[in-house]
Amino acid sequence: MEEKQQIQEFRFGEKTNRRRTRTMSVAASDQEEEIEEGKGKEQVVDLDHGDPTVYEQFWQKMGDRSTIVISGWQSMSYLSDVGNICWFLEPEFTKQVRRLHQSVGNAVTEDRHIVVGTGSTQLFQAALYALSPPDAFEPISVVSAIPYYSSYPSITDYLKSGLYKWAGDAYTLKGDEPYIELVTSPNNPDGSIRQAVVNRDGGTVIHDLAYYWPQYTPITCLADHDLMLFTISKCTGHAGIRIGWALVKDKEVARKMTKFIELNTIGVSKDSQLRAAKILQVVSHSCEQLGYPEDSESFFKYASRLMADRWDRLRDAVSQSGLFSLPEFMPESCNYAGEMTTPHPAFAWLKCEGGIEDCENFLRGYNILTRTGKHFGAQGNYVRVSMLDREETFDMFIERLSNIRL
Amino acid sequence: MEEKQQIQEFRFGEKTNRRRTRTMSVAASDQEEEIEEGKGKEQVVDLDHGDPTVYEQFWQKMGDRSTIVISGWQSMSYLSDVGNICWFLEPEFTKQVRRLHQSVGNAVTEDRHIVVGTGSTQLFQAALYALSPPDAFEPISVVSAIPYYSSYPSITDYLKSGLYKWAGDAYTLKGDEPYIELVTSPNNPDGSIRQAVVNRDGGTVIHDLAYYWPQYTPITCLADHDLMLFTISKCTGHAGIRIGWALVKDKEVARKMTKFIELNTIGVSKDSQLRAAKILQVVSHSCEQLGYPEDSESFFKYASRLMADRWDRLRDAVSQSGLFSLPEFMPESCNYAGEMTTPHPAFAWLKCEGGIEDCENFLRGYNILTRTGKHFGAQGNYVRVSMLDREETFDMFIERLSNIRL
């Protein structure tokens, strides 16, 4: 299971290199054979994983404003803020996180402890560690409603922890044992707005709000949950920085999450925190100072237009082909934009119609790599398609999809 | 156990802040009470954890040569080198790691896979994951000879993994079950040169060579083990970068370690890798171009002189006091220095003589914070003292230690 998940998550390694240099494919080798024998030299369009390179051009436009300079003698110590529960948290990063949430209005930061992590993936595990009873006889059940993020099962189970274990679909959770529910909203893969579904005593909830930003969904409320996870990867596109943050209401939970990160990586890169702070500062500045939605250099305006354009083109392609369907989203009033906006999720949850049961395999025949619904606990006639790849990749995808006929 | 370990490892958090701002103490609160009531306003000298700030002045001297500049549009993708087993490894970092080992001659890099990690702590866990049988009925035993690094037990056991478990002193390992032995050489805490002690079938060894650099020990051979861990923290003093690397002989082990890091943090900060590459480049350059040991800007010459001076002063203080003893080290021929050099470990393994059974507590009475030998599986009349703190801290330590009488 974990093996399979992992292959789905990141399909890299030297074996695929020879071909990739020619085809840019990052497909697993068996699939590549198929591609080699099938469409021959046609370039493989990989929209399987969600590498958020879509915003590169914005950051090129910003030029030196988002450049960071670090001297060799800076930030050598393990320590950043010894008075803070999260002693490796850079004060400038804290400041910019609070400022951005205030500018966007998507989450409460007052009376919240901020815990920084090496991406929200590490914070997710820190939260499991913090919320699991330390001395329970059985590991606590970790659940999420189908369709759930495809990496949750493997990240929960890869170390066979005695503290927590993956228990699948939140709707099928039995008994009255303690549990941890993962709520991703907007949801990965399908973009839906979600709430906890179990809602009984002995349960705690981790809210993964990685996609709760104006370019993906209307900001309809100030999120005010006990434990909220965010990542710079999906907000600004800087996945390579590996920085996420948690907004935590309970001091003891923040302390335990910090302890997990101490034990796991003895803190979080200061260089990454300083660079992330600079990037978030530029985003806040582009919104506050330059106005939204008028100014073309407002990051969220730029990103919203871009996502809207991609979704329009995707829906056109889908209707041209006639073989697929997509979720429909209703416009809502966005507190940030000050107007009605329509959701444009980071992933398209594409359904194959016309009796095609294995949509991933079907699209692979056209050298389009996506992720089967099966990995999200759903059916194989669904696939998740990344909407965040570079323009040329997305163009090829749209062109191929619109020409697919039975 | 883990709790205790952790408190020993990093004693931070808001509770200690009020006092620290006055005393710079990072002592646990109960100890602070004692300090408050004891020596009153006297500044606490914290040499408990090994924060390697000792080299800051060298890097200030290097000025812009070690400065890194990163633009906002750079390294946004998760991916660094999709053709590499370790797909998140920055090629420039690889190049500088190989170059440094070649300059120093401390480890073989030919025919080795390099896996980068968020510090060697993450790589240690990646190695446990890679070397543990995935489907064993019982977790594999992880052992290390006493005195062992005080964090090994807690890092091994904090998630109660079903894959591996801490089994203590390597000398007491019973039975013929598979095992993983941790060999730290030079050893933390006592600076001794070590080899595996179990040496039977079904065992694998992780060599932690964090301190196998010329400023700490003579480079007597080219290390050529199956799995070797290094970290920039102790080599150049850049702990805040959180970068370590593993030299791995077996491709499958490298692949599994990479998978662990995928699942744990989806790769390693590119910013940190790029900065680490720059720092390592400056070190190699300072040695290769500027010559060793003649030129004063050779990093290892600078660091070696500094460590030698600190050890001379420590031995003087110990002899003045008459209450303590230190390990003795014999000079050996260093292939790097091209002459006989004496070990000057990053930690002093200080023994209280004269019937003092709790050395940590005894020194705390003089506002000197150290780590009791008990956390290393040894006796309480030993403490580990960091030799890598800033000059002013070390000066205070020497002054106090030399004046301690019974």
Side-chain angles (χ1 to χ4, degrees):
Chain A
M1 171 58 171
E2 177 207 311
E3 174 70 19
K4 201 170 173 188
Q5 285 296 136
Q6 214 29 40
I7 288 169
Q8 279 306 113
E9 197 53 38
F10 284 96
R11 299 164 169 164
F12 308 120
E14 53 164 20
K15 189 173 180 186
T16 60
N17 191 29
R18 183 172 41 76
R19 298 198 184 86
R20 187 176 305 105
T21 50
R22 197 168 72 250
T23 66
M24 287 305 295
S25 159
V26 286
S29 54
D30 59 332
Q31 297 166 336
E32 287 189 353
E33 297 298 352
E34 205 171 303
I35 289 155
E36 292 291 300
E37 294 152 14
K39 299 283 172 175
K41 300 261 179 295
E42 184 183 46
Q43 186 167 330
V44 170
V45 172
D46 181 8
L47 298 173
D48 172 351
H49 52 86
D51 200 20
T53 44
V54 58
Y55 306 124
E56 272 174 351
Q57 287 184 7
F58 175 87
W59 293 106
Q60 281 162 359
K61 263 186 12 185
M62 296 307 276
D64 291 348
R65 271 175 286 183
S66 54
T67 299
I68 183 165
V69 178
I70 307 178
S71 301
W73 49 266
Q74 286 184 308
S75 59
M76 292 182 70
S77 168
Y78 285 104
L79 320 178
S80 294
D81 184 2
V82 289
N84 196 313
I85 286 179
C86 185
W87 53 266
F88 46 80
L89 177 61
E90 284 290 311
E92 179 61 19
F93 178 71
T94 314
K95 178 182 159 193
Q96 296 303 333
V97 163
R98 292 189 190 277
R99 177 183 174 187
L100 183 63
H101 283 301
Q102 210 145 25
S103 310
V104 174
N106 60 338
V108 172
T109 59
E110 291 73 26
D111 306 321
R112 291 300 198 283
H113 302 282
I114 294 179
V115 180
V116 64
T118 309
S120 57
T121 297
Q122 185 180 40
L123 288 164
F124 164 59
Q125 292 163 79
L128 292 182
Y129 175 79
L131 298 176
S132 301
D135 303 317
F137 183 69
E138 281 286 308
I140 192 169
S141 292
V142 179
V143 297
S144 189
I146 284 176
Y148 46 70
Y149 173 36
S150 52
S151 290
Y152 281 152
S154 51
I155 295 174
T156 306
D157 284 345
Y158 71 118
L159 292 177
K160 299 186 175 179
S161 174
L163 298 176
Y164 46 78
K165 66 170 192 294
W166 178 249
D169 185 9
Y171 283 107
T172 65
L173 181 66
K174 299 276 184 299
D176 56 3
E177 303 300 313
Y179 67 94
I180 298 171
E181 181 175 356
L182 315 173
V183 176
T184 310
S185 183
N187 191 39
N188 172 2
D190 67 0
S192 62
I193 298 302
R194 296 191 143 196
Q195 294 175 333
V197 303
V198 183
N199 300 311
R200 62 166 165 79
D201 292 348
T204 52
V205 181
I206 299 170
H207 280 85
D208 182 345
L209 303 186
Y211 303 95
Y212 193 44
W213 297 102
Q215 69 266 48
Y216 303 123
T217 192
I219 304 303
T220 56
C221 69
L222 193 65
D224 185 18
H225 309 290
D226 289 355
L227 204 170
M228 301 183 279
L229 303 182
F230 290 91
T231 169
I232 198 166
S233 305
K234 303 306 192 286
C235 174
T236 71
H238 290 83
I241 293 184
R242 310 306 312 123
I243 286 289
W245 63 94
L247 302 179
V248 185
K249 191 180 270 176
D250 183 80
K251 181 192 290 183
E252 188 57 18
V253 171
R255 199 186 64 76
K256 286 184 183 168
M257 289 179 70
T258 298
K259 176 180 285 188
F260 174 92
I261 295 171
E262 279 176 15
L263 289 161
N264 193 220
T265 54
I266 316 183
V268 173
S269 165
K270 290 187 173 186
D271 311 295
S272 293
Q273 291 187 67
L274 294 173
R275 186 169 180 227
K278 168 62 89 174
I279 297 295
L280 296 186
Q281 177 194 33
V282 170
V283 170
S284 293
H285 184 80
S286 80
C287 305
E288 295 164 3
Q289 307 301 322
L290 306 170
Y292 181 91
E294 285 68 40
D295 189 282
S296 66
E297 279 192 319
S298 156
F299 172 75
F300 290 121
K301 180 185 175 188
Y302 172 94
S304 299
R305 283 205 184 136
L306 202 149
M307 293 305 294
D309 171 70
R310 288 193 172 189
W311 272 91
D312 289 346
R313 292 167 60 197
L314 176 60
R315 291 191 186 278
D316 289 347
V318 161
S319 63
Q320 277 182 52
S321 163
L323 263 185
F324 307 94
S325 65
L326 288 165
E328 294 296 329
F329 302 102
M330 302 308 293
E332 288 191 77
S333 175
C334 175
N335 300 338
Y336 177 72
E339 60 186 358
M340 300 290 281
T341 65
T342 308
H344 299 116
F347 296 102
W349 188 232
L350 191 69
K351 185 183 181 188
C352 263
E353 304 289 355
I356 297 162
E357 289 182 357
D358 187 341
C359 191
E360 178 186 294
N361 190 53
F362 176 74
L363 289 171
R364 195 183 301 126
Y366 295 87
N367 288 348
I368 300 169
L369 302 182
T370 60
R371 188 170 301 178
T372 174
K374 291 176 182 172
H375 289 291
F376 304 87
Q379 300 301 312
N381 57 335
Y382 283 90
V383 289
R384 189 193 74 170
V385 182
S386 171
M387 297 292 284
L388 301 182
D389 215 297
R390 295 190 175 89
E391 198 65 15
E392 57 270 29
T393 313
F394 189 76
D395 294 345
M396 278 191 290
F397 166 62
I398 292 300
E399 192 209 336
R400 283 188 206 171
L401 194 72
S402 48
N403 291 315
I404 294 177
R405 304 282 185 275
L406 256 193
Chain B
M1 172 57 172
E2 177 206 311
E3 176 69 20
K4 202 171 174 188
Q5 286 295 137
Q6 212 33 38
I7 288 170
Q8 280 304 113
E9 196 54 37
F10 284 97
R11 298 166 169 162
F12 309 120
E14 52 163 23
K15 190 172 180 186
T16 60
N17 190 30
R18 181 172 40 75
R19 297 198 184 86
R20 187 177 304 103
T21 50
R22 199 171 69 249
T23 65
M24 285 306 293
S25 159
V26 287
S29 53
D30 59 335
Q31 297 167 335
E32 287 188 355
E33 297 298 352
E34 204 171 304
I35 289 157
E36 293 291 300
E37 295 151 14
K39 298 284 172 176
K41 299 260 180 295
E42 184 182 44
Q43 186 166 331
V44 170
V45 172
D46 181 10
L47 298 173
D48 172 354
H49 51 85
D51 200 17
T53 44
V54 57
Y55 306 124
E56 272 174 350
Q57 286 183 8
F58 176 87
W59 294 106
Q60 280 161 358
K61 263 184 16 183
M62 296 307 278
D64 290 347
R65 271 175 285 183
S66 54
T67 298
I68 184 166
V69 178
I70 307 177
S71 302
W73 49 267
Q74 285 184 309
S75 58
M76 293 182 69
S77 169
Y78 285 105
L79 320 179
S80 293
D81 184 2
V82 288
N84 196 313
I85 286 177
C86 186
W87 54 265
F88 45 81
L89 177 61
E90 284 290 311
E92 179 61 19
F93 178 71
T94 315
K95 179 182 158 192
Q96 296 303 333
V97 163
R98 293 189 189 275
R99 178 183 173 186
L100 183 64
H101 283 302
Q102 210 145 25
S103 309
V104 175
N106 60 339
V108 172
T109 59
E110 291 73 26
D111 305 322
R112 291 300 200 282
H113 303 281
I114 294 179
V115 180
V116 64
T118 309
S120 56
T121 298
Q122 184 180 41
L123 288 164
F124 163 59
Q125 292 163 80
L128 291 182
Y129 175 79
L131 298 176
S132 301
D135 304 316
F137 183 69
E138 280 286 309
I140 192 169
S141 292
V142 179
V143 297
S144 188
I146 284 176
Y148 45 69
Y149 173 36
S150 53
S151 290
Y152 281 152
S154 50
I155 294 174
T156 305
D157 285 343
Y158 71 119
L159 292 177
K160 299 186 175 179
S161 174
L163 298 176
Y164 46 78
K165 66 168 191 295
W166 178 249
D169 185 8
Y171 284 107
T172 64
L173 181 66
K174 299 276 184 298
D176 57 1
E177 302 300 312
Y179 67 94
I180 298 171
E181 180 175 354
L182 315 173
V183 176
T184 309
S185 183
N187 191 38
N188 172 1
D190 66 2
S192 62
I193 298 303
R194 295 191 143 196
Q195 294 176 334
V197 303
V198 183
N199 300 312
R200 62 166 165 79
D201 292 349
T204 52
V205 181
I206 299 171
H207 280 85
D208 183 344
L209 304 185
Y211 303 96
Y212 192 45
W213 298 102
Q215 67 266 48
Y216 303 123
T217 193
I219 304 303
T220 56
C221 68
L222 193 65
D224 185 18
H225 308 290
D226 289 355
L227 205 169
M228 301 182 279
L229 303 183
F230 290 91
T231 170
I232 198 166
S233 304
K234 303 305 192 287
C235 174
T236 71
H238 290 83
I241 293 184
R242 309 306 314 121
I243 286 288
W245 62 95
L247 303 178
V248 185
K249 194 180 265 177
D250 182 82
K251 181 193 290 183
E252 187 57 19
V253 171
R255 198 187 66 75
K256 286 184 184 167
M257 289 178 70
T258 298
K259 175 180 287 189
F260 174 92
I261 295 171
E262 280 175 13
L263 289 161
N264 193 220
T265 54
I266 317 185
V268 174
S269 165
K270 290 186 174 188
D271 312 294
S272 294
Q273 290 186 68
L274 294 173
R275 186 169 180 228
K278 168 61 91 174
I279 298 295
L280 296 185
Q281 177 194 33
V282 170
V283 170
S284 292
H285 183 79
S286 80
C287 305
E288 294 163 7
Q289 308 301 322
L290 306 171
Y292 181 91
E294 285 66 39
D295 190 281
S296 66
E297 279 192 319
S298 157
F299 173 75
F300 290 119
K301 179 185 177 187
Y302 172 94
S304 298
R305 282 205 184 136
L306 202 148
M307 294 304 295
D309 171 70
R310 288 194 172 189
W311 271 90
D312 289 346
R313 293 167 60 197
L314 176 61
R315 291 192 187 277
D316 288 347
V318 162
S319 62
Q320 279 182 50
S321 164
L323 263 185
F324 307 94
S325 65
L326 287 167
E328 294 298 330
F329 301 102
M330 301 309 293
E332 287 192 77
S333 174
C334 174
N335 300 339
Y336 178 72
E339 59 186 359
M340 299 291 281
T341 65
T342 308
H344 299 117
F347 296 103
W349 188 231
L350 191 70
K351 185 183 180 188
C352 263
E353 304 290 355
I356 297 162
E357 289 182 357
D358 187 342
C359 191
E360 177 185 296
N361 189 52
F362 177 74
L363 290 172
R364 194 184 301 126
Y366 295 86
N367 286 350
I368 299 170
L369 303 183
T370 60
R371 189 171 302 178
T372 175
K374 290 176 183 173
H375 289 291
F376 304 86
Q379 301 301 314
N381 56 338
Y382 284 90
V383 290
R384 189 193 73 172
V385 182
S386 171
M387 297 292 284
L388 302 182
D389 214 297
R390 295 190 175 88
E391 198 65 15
E392 57 269 29
T393 313
F394 189 76
D395 293 344
M396 279 192 289
F397 167 63
I398 292 300
E399 191 209 337
R400 284 189 205 171
L401 194 72
S402 48
N403 291 316
I404 294 178
R405 303 282 185 275
L406 255 194

